[in-house]
Amino acid sequence: MNLQLLPIGKVDHGLLASLAPGMANTFALPCEIVSPGLDPEFAYHRERQQYHSSEILARMQGRITAQTWRILGVAAVDLYIPILTFVFGEAQVGGSCAVVSLHRLRQEFYGLPEHRDLLHQRLLKESVHEIGHTLNLTHCDDYRCVMAASHAVEWIDLKESSLCSACYGRVFNNCVQLKDV
Ligand SMILES: [Zn+2]
Ligand SMILES: [Zn+2]
């Protein structure tokens, strides 16, 4: 079983290659980049000029294989769900699929100079966060915890890329329960 990274749209391979070891470390599983990537055009909505993340998640179901522990889509495009102006990502709570968007993690989106290290850090945090939701984790009140809610990029920068001990414990207990069944 492994954690699979699926590029969605034109995603810089170097970004995914640097994300993989961080994800493998956090969840103690091999992490691999899968191909071909997913073309997100089917999820584009002209009236919003954005891509509907729930539709992307539904399509990703078809990419699950016997080797899949979780599959994380990394999208170059801007994502939304109808009740929100945008999302940094979305996950199937307790499911296998999650997606994150690079679009609003880039400093350039805010009119600032490119900052590769910051982009890498933000991507790792949002990726761990969304995979956390697939493990049934909800938002955490500890602002430093990776499971803290983030409604703006500044909030992402405040948190760490790891789970707090309470969230870590919840994941660990889930694993024990799974093994007991
Ligand atoms: Zn969340
Ligand atoms: Zn936490």
Side-chain angles (χ1 to χ4, degrees), residues 40-51:
E41 286 314 308
F42 68 90
Y44 182 70
H45 290 259
R46 190 184 309 231
E47 73 281 9
R48 299 271 313 231
Q49 299 186 15
Q50 288 172 304
Y51 296 75

Side-chain angles (χ1 to χ4, degrees), residues 129-130 133 139 147-150:
H129 181 99
E130 295 304 337
H133 282 317
H139 287 152
M147 291 312 295
S150 304

Side-chain angles (χ1 to χ4, degrees), residues 74 98 122:
V74 179
R122 288 171 176 173

Side-chain angles (χ1 to χ4, degrees), residues 140-142 145-148 163-168 170:
C140 183
D141 290 337
D142 182 346
C145 174
V146 77
M147 291 312 295
L163 300 168
C164 73
S165 56
C167 287
Y168 187 87
R170 279 179 209 115

Side-chain angles (χ1 to χ4, degrees), residues 87-163:
V87 291
F88 288 119
E90 189 188 351
Q92 296 171 335
V93 175
S96 298
C97 300
V99 62
V100 294
S101 167
L102 287 163
H103 191 75
R104 292 171 194 257
L105 301 182
R106 298 182 189 280
Q107 286 293 74
E108 302 94 296
F109 178 80
Y110 306 95
L112 298 167
E114 182 182 14
H115 192 323
R116 292 288 289 184
D117 283 351
L118 195 54
L119 178 60
H120 284 263
Q121 290 166 26
R122 288 171 176 173
L123 176 61
L124 176 61
K125 291 173 187 179
E126 284 310 287
S127 298
V128 173
H129 181 99
E130 295 304 337
I131 294 297
H133 282 317
T134 71
L135 296 166
N136 289 312
L137 290 177
T138 52
H139 287 152
C140 183
D141 290 337
D142 182 346
Y143 72 92
R144 291 160 305 182
C145 174
V146 77
M147 291 312 295
S150 304
H151 300 297
V153 79
E154 293 81 5
W155 300 20
I156 299 174
D157 294 339
L158 276 178
K159 58 188 185 183
E160 292 164 12
S161 59
S162 53
L163 300 168

